[in-house]
C-alpha cells in the first residue's frame, strides 16, 4: 500500500493569534507544529500501514522551515518526506495549493517509482480552516474523496471509510486511489521514542521546486489565486459585564440573582 | 464560462426530512439584499427527494426562482449531489453560489469548486457588496480570533455560509414563483463512492440554532453525573442543552450538543455557561448570544470577559440554587 500524507505546518493552535502592528497575524513567536488534523491523518495512515503493509510518504508545501514538522512526522510513522518549496507559491489559495499538490503527487510518484493508493489530508487546518484543499486535490487528480473520516478498512481494491456525520456516521466505499480527509479519531497520535527520533534525524528530506514539479506559473501564488484576502481584522470584543465574587456563596448568589432578575432574563 | 454570461445568486438549500434547513433560509436574507442592489435575482436550488414543502418555504422567504432536482437517488446526500450542482451551475450560470456551511455543504463546495475551477471561501460570517460590485466575504481564521475579508476573482464564485450568521426574513404567504424548474434527473458522471451504511447515533432532535435559551456545560462540570444539573437547569428554563468539546469527548453528552468552532454556532437570547473556561474554540460559537451568564470557580476564566453576569463560584452550589430560585419565579 503506497500512502501519501499531506501535512501543513501551522502555529500552535492552543495559542491565541492576534494581529501585529502591520495588521498581519502575529505568529512568529508561536511554536510551529504539524496541523492537528494532519497528525490524526498520519496516525491513521500508520495504523493502516501496520495492518496492511506499505510505505508512508509525508509531503508539505512551504518554506524550508517546514522540515521541522516533517522530521517529527518521520519519527511517528512516516517513512519518507518531501518538502515543496518555491517563492512563487507564496499566498496561493486552496485551489492553487491543490494544483501544486497534484503536481507534487505526480513528481513523487515518478521519483519513487510508485503510484499512491491513498492520499490522506487533515479535514482542515487550524490556521485558515477552509477545509477545501483535500476535495479540490481529489478533483485535480480525478479520484474519489471521502471527507471527515474517523476510521478506515481495506476492502479488496477499495477502502471502506467511516465518515462522521452530523447525526452519526456513514460507511462509504471508495475505489483506490482515493483522497481521504481525516477528522479526530477516538485515539491520539503516538509519541516519538528516543530511537524513532534518532532515526528520523538521520533521514534526508528532499526539496522539490517549481522547476521539479513543472507547475504553470500563471496558476500559482497570491496574484494568480482566485480568492484574494483584502484585509484582516480582530472580531469586535464583547463588553464584559459584571463579575460577582462576594465573601460567601450566599452573598454572591443573592447578588447574581438580583442582577439577573432585574435584567428580566428568566 | 465568461463573466458576462453569469448573473444572479444561487442559494443552495439543504433539506432534512422534506424541510429546509435554517441556514438555507437565512442565506436568502443577504442574497436578496445583494441581488436587489445589483438588479438581479435569487434562485433557490434544492437537491433531494420530496422537496415540495421545502420549495414553498424557499418561496415564502423570498426566493425569486426555484429549481428542484427531486429524485429518490438523491434522498441522502452523496457525491451525486455534487455532480448535480455542477450541472446546474453550468446550465443556469449564476454569478455567486451560496451553500450552507453544514457538514454536507462543506463537502459539496470544494468538490464543485474543484470540478469547475472556481474560487471558494468557507464559513462566511458576513458579506457585503463592495464599491466595485464584488461581494466581500468575511471568514474566520485561527479559531475565530482573526477575521479575513476576501473577494473572489472567478465567476461564478462559491461561498459556504455559517449558520446563525444572518437572520431569517419574515415569511410571506406567497404562491410558488412562476419560474419553478423541476428536474427529475441529471447526469451524475463518473461516481466513485458508494454509501454502504448510514447509522444515526443521535436520535434526539437537538435544535440549538433556533433555541431562545441555551444552558451549556464544560469540563468544569466534572462528571457525567454532575452534567445532569446542566440538563435540569435547561429544563426549568425551557431551554436546550449545549456543551463544549470536552464533555462530548468524555461521553457525558452526545456530539449533537456541541457548540463552537467544531460544533454549532448559536445566538440565543440567554446563554448560561456552566463550568466553561471560555476557550476561543467555544466562544466563537456563542459570543453572538444576547445575554450571557457564566458560572466558574476560577475568577480569571476568560469566559468572564464576555459575560453580562459572571458568577464566581462552584457550579455544584450555584446551579441547584438557581434551579430552586427559577422554580419559585415561575411558580
Amino acid at each position: 500500500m503506497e500512502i501519501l500524507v499531506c501535512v501543513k505546518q501551522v502555529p500552535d493552535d492552543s495559542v491565541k493569534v492576534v494581529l501585529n502592528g502591520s495588521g498581519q497575524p502575529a505568529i512568529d513567536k508561536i511554536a510551529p507544529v504539524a496541523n492537528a488534523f494532519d497528525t490524526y491523518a498520519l496516525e491513521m495512515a500508520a495504523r493502516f500501514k501496520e495492518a496492511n503493509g506499505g510505505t508512508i510518504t509525508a509531503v508539505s508545501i512551504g518554506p524550508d522551515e517546514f522540515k521541522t514538522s516533517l522530521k517529527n512526522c518521520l519519527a511517528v510513522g512516516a517513512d519518507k518526506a518531501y518538502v515543496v518549496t518555491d517563492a512563487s507559491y507564496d499566498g496561493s489559495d486552496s485551489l492553487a495549493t491543490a494544483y501544486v499538490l497534484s503536481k507534487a503527487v505526480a513528481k513523487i510518484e515518478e521519483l519513487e517509482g510508485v503510484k499512491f493508493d491513498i492520499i490522506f489530508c487533515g479535514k482542515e487546518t487550524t490556521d485558515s480552516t477552509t477545509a477545501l484543499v483535500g476535495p479540490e486535490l481529489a478533483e485535480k487528480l480525478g479520484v474519489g474523496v471521502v471527507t471527515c473520516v474517523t476510521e478506515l478498512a481495506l476492502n479488496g481494491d477499495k477502502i471502506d471509510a467511516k465518515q462522521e456525520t452530523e447525526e452519526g456516521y456513514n460507511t462509504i466505499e471508495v475505489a483506490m486511489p482515493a483522497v481521504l480527509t481525516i477528522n479526530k479519531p477516538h485515539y491520539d497520535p503516538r509519541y516519538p521514542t528516543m530511537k524513532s527520533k534518532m532515526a528520523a534525524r538521520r533521514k534526508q528530506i528532499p526539496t522539490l521546486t517549481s522547476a521539479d514539479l513543472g507547475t504553470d506559473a500563471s496558476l500559482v501564488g497570491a496574484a494568480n489565486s482566485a480568492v484574494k484576502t483584502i484585509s484582516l481584522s480582530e472580531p469586535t470584543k464583547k463588553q464584559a459585564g459584571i463579575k460577582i465574587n462576594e465573601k460567601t456563596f450566599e452573598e454572591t448568589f443573592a447578588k447574581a440573582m438580583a442582577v439577573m432578575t432585574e435584567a428580566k432574563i428568566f | 464560462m465568461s463573466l458576462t454570461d453569469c448573473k444572479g445568486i444561487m442559494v443552495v438549500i439543504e433539506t432534512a426530512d422534506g424541510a429546509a434547513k435554517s441556514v438555507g433560509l437565512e442565506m436568502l436574507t443577504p442574497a436578496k439584499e445583494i441581488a436587489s442592489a445589483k438588479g438581479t435575482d435569487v434562485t433557490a436550488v434544492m437537491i433531494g427527494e420530496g422537496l415540495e414543502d421545502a420549495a414553498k418555504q424557499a418561496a415564502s422567504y423570498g426566493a425569486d426562482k426555484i429549481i428542484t432536482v427531486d429524485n429518490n437517488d438523491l434522498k441522502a446526500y452523496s457525491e451525486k449531489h455534487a455532480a448535480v450542482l455542477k450541472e446546474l451551475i453550468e446550465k443556469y450560470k449564476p454569478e455567486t453560489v451560496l451553500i450552507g456551511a453544514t457538514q454536507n455543504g462543506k463537502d459539496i463546495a470544494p468538490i464543485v469548486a474543484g470540478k469547475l475551477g472556481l474560487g471558494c471561501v468557507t464559513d462566511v460570517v458576513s458579506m457585503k457588496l463592495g464599491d466595485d460590485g464584488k461581494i466581500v466575504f468575511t471568514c474566520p481564521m485561527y479559531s475565530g480570533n482573526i477575521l479575513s475579508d476576501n473577494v473572489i476573482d472567478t465567476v461564478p464564485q462559491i461561498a459556504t455560509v455559517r449558520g446563525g450568521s444572518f437572520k431569517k426574513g419574515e415569511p410571506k404567504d406567497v404562491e410558488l414563483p412562476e419560474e419553478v424548474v423541476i428536474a427529475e434527473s441529471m447526469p451524475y458522471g463518473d461516481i466513485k463512492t458508494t454509501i454502504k451504511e448510514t447509522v444515526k447515533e443521535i436520535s434526539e432532535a437537538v435544535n440549538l440554532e433556533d433555541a431562545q435559551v441555551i444552558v451549556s456545560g464544560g469540563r468544569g462540570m466534572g462528571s457525567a453525573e454532575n452534567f445532569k444539573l446542566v440538563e435540569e437547569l435547561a429544563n426549568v428554563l425551557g431551554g436546550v442543552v449545549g456543551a463544549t468539546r470536552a464533555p462530548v469527548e468524555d461521553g457525558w453528552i452526545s456530539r449533537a450538543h456541541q457548540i463552537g468552532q467544531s460544533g454549532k454556532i448559536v445566538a440565543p437570547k440567554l446563554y448560561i455557561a456552566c463550568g466553561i473556561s471560555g476557550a476561543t474554540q467555544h466562544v466563537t460559537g456563542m459570543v453572538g448570544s444576547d445575554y450571557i451568564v457564566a458560572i466558574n470557580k476560577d475568577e480569571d476564566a476568560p469566559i468572564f470577559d464576555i459575560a453580562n453576569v459572571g458568577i464566581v463560584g462552584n457550579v455544584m452550589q450555584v446551579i441547584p440554587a438557581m434551579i430552586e430560585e427559577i422554580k419559585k419565579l415561575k411558580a
Side-chain angles (χ1 to χ4, degrees):
Chain A
M1 209 55 53
E2 291 297 332
I3 298 166
L4 184 71
V5 182
C6 304
V7 179
K8 186 179 183 188
Q9 186 166 297
V10 297
D12 180 349
D13 65 311
S14 63
V15 181
K16 184 176 174 176
V17 177
V18 295
L19 292 179
N20 63 21
S22 42
Q24 291 302 309
I27 52 173
D28 45 326
K29 299 239 162 53
I30 303 176
V33 296
N35 172 47
F37 290 100
D38 300 344
T39 67
Y40 307 148
L42 178 58
E43 178 62 32
M44 207 177 288
R47 289 173 183 228
F48 187 79
K49 182 190 125 175
E50 281 157 10
N52 302 292
T55 307
I56 299 176
T57 305
V59 64
S60 269
I61 303 175
D64 214 46
E65 294 93 85
F66 276 32
K67 285 184 180 171
T68 312
S69 44
L70 285 173
K71 280 277 177 197
N72 290 336
C73 292
L74 287 168
V76 289
D79 301 297
K80 299 169 182 178
Y82 286 86
V83 66
V84 178
T85 301
D86 204 289
S88 70
Y89 299 157
D90 290 356
S92 291
D93 72 351
S94 63
L95 214 51
T97 302
Y99 166 66
V100 174
L101 269 176
S102 72
K103 296 296 247 182
V105 167
K107 186 65 193 179
I108 296 169
E109 286 185 335
E110 180 198 317
L111 290 170
E112 299 286 341
V114 298
K115 285 278 173 199
F116 289 115
D117 299 298
I118 313 176
I119 297 172
F120 286 79
C121 300
K123 78 156 184 174
E124 63 189 32
T125 58
T126 54
D127 55 356
S128 53
T129 51
T130 67
L132 298 171
V133 173
E136 288 175 345
L137 171 62
E139 289 303 325
K140 293 271 182 218
L141 296 171
V143 304
V145 59
V146 185
T147 57
C148 258
V149 173
T150 57
E151 266 180 60
L152 76 157
L154 188 62
N155 168 18
D157 57 353
K158 296 188 169 103
I159 295 291
D160 285 342
K162 183 174 175 182
Q163 174 185 59
E164 193 174 275
T165 63
E166 281 164 11
E167 297 91 21
Y169 65 87
N170 290 328
T171 305
I172 298 183
E173 183 184 88
V174 59
M176 289 190 280
V179 172
L180 306 177
T181 82
I182 307 304
N183 197 5
K184 189 177 190 317
H186 58 85
Y187 45 77
D188 287 317
R190 68 195 61 189
Y191 289 98
T193 60
M194 200 51 106
K195 200 177 148 201
S196 72
K197 273 192 197 172
M198 295 287 283
R201 209 169 297 160
R202 283 192 298 269
K203 285 187 180 163
Q204 294 296 313
I205 300 178
T207 301
L208 302 174
T209 64
S210 60
D212 299 316
L213 265 44
T215 43
D216 179 342
S218 72
L219 298 174
V220 298
N224 300 310
S225 284
V227 177
K228 294 201 164 58
T229 300
I230 49 178
S231 68
L232 299 177
S233 61
E234 288 178 17
T236 32
K237 302 253 182 332
K238 196 179 162 101
Q239 204 73 40
I242 171 173
K243 183 157 71 180
I244 304 165
N245 190 8
E246 303 296 319
K247 282 193 201 72
T248 67
F249 164 72
E250 285 73 18
E251 286 172 71
T252 299
F253 184 71
K255 194 169 168 191
M257 279 311 292
V259 173
M260 291 187 286
T261 311
E262 194 180 320
K264 294 193 171 66
I265 59 164
F266 296 128
Chain B
M1 277 176 261
S2 84
L3 209 136
T4 46
D5 287 349
C6 296
K7 62 178 173 31
I9 301 180
M10 182 180 270
V11 177
V12 182
I13 300 180
E14 192 179 335
T15 59
D17 301 321
K21 287 202 171 181
S22 285
V23 63
L25 303 174
E26 288 164 16
M27 289 188 292
L28 289 171
T29 305
K32 280 167 62 185
E33 272 174 32
I34 290 168
S36 113
K38 296 189 75 148
T40 167
D41 54 21
V42 177
T43 304
V45 164
M46 274 158 281
I47 303 167
E49 188 196 36
L51 300 171
E52 278 170 42
D53 290 346
K56 282 176 193 152
Q57 275 181 293
S60 71
Y61 283 92
D64 300 304
K65 297 175 189 166
I66 290 173
I67 299 169
T68 61
V69 182
D70 197 319
N71 186 333
N72 178 252
D73 248 9
L74 298 166
K75 187 170 199 276
Y77 172 78
S78 76
E79 191 188 348
K80 290 176 183 166
H81 286 232
V84 169
L85 183 57
K86 170 189 167 274
E87 292 287 326
L88 293 175
I89 292 171
E90 285 179 321
K91 185 167 178 192
Y92 294 97
K93 298 181 169 54
E95 187 180 2
T96 302
V97 181
L98 301 180
I99 302 171
T102 61
Q103 191 183 328
N104 292 342
K106 285 164 94 164
D107 187 277
I108 200 172
I111 295 178
V112 174
K115 283 183 197 296
L116 295 170
L118 303 178
C120 183
V121 291
T122 305
D123 268 330
V124 169
V125 293
S126 126
M127 62 181 112
K128 59 176 188 289
L129 200 55
D131 297 334
D132 55 358
K134 282 194 161 187
I135 303 176
V136 179
F137 298 99
T138 305
C139 308
M141 31 187 329
Y142 296 108
S143 309
N145 286 311
I146 289 178
L147 298 173
S148 65
D149 281 354
N150 306 281
V151 292
I152 306 177
D153 276 350
T154 59
V155 179
Q157 56 184 351
I158 302 180
T160 62
V161 177
R162 183 177 270 187
S165 302
F166 298 92
K167 295 260 184 249
K168 265 186 268 187
E170 283 300 317
K172 292 197 180 73
D173 193 13
V174 293
E175 294 295 308
L176 279 177
E178 278 174 31
E179 281 197 65
V180 180
V181 180
I182 301 170
E184 282 181 3
S185 66
M186 301 216 99
Y188 299 135
D190 180 18
I191 293 296
K192 302 178 187 77
T193 57
T194 316
I195 300 179
K196 291 169 79 174
E197 188 190 19
T198 295
V199 176
K200 288 202 176 188
E201 291 173 317
I202 299 159
S203 52
E204 59 203 311
V206 183
N207 194 351
L208 283 164
E209 290 96 329
D210 294 329
Q212 300 288 308
V213 177
I214 293 174
V215 182
S216 247
R219 192 187 293 282
M221 290 307 300
S223 69
E225 184 65 27
N226 293 353
F227 201 87
K228 293 204 174 76
L229 278 176
V230 173
E231 293 166 30
E232 207 182 315
L233 180 56
N235 281 340
V236 298
L237 287 166
V240 179
V241 177
T244 61
R245 191 163 56 186
V248 171
E249 284 186 358
D250 288 347
W252 302 347
I253 187 147
S254 85
R255 190 152 48 75
H257 296 268
Q258 191 174 326
I259 292 169
Q261 177 75 25
S262 44
K264 299 276 165 55
I265 309 295
V266 300
K269 288 205 164 70
L270 173 62
Y271 191 96
I272 304 182
C274 310
I276 291 174
S277 64
T280 313
Q281 144 75 235
H282 178 71
V283 168
T284 303
M286 46 67 78
V287 71
S289 308
D290 290 345
Y291 198 93
I292 298 170
V293 177
I295 309 163
N296 202 302
K297 64 177 185 227
D298 172 12
E299 65 173 311
D300 296 322
I303 191 78
F304 290 130
D305 297 341
I306 57 154
N308 296 74
V309 180
I311 306 171
V312 182
N314 183 343
V315 285
M316 297 309 292
Q317 263 185 313
V318 178
I319 302 176
M322 252 171 110
I323 291 169
E324 284 317 305
E325 285 300 313
I326 293 163
K327 276 184 181 163
K328 277 186 221 160
L329 284 171
K330 300 235 166 183

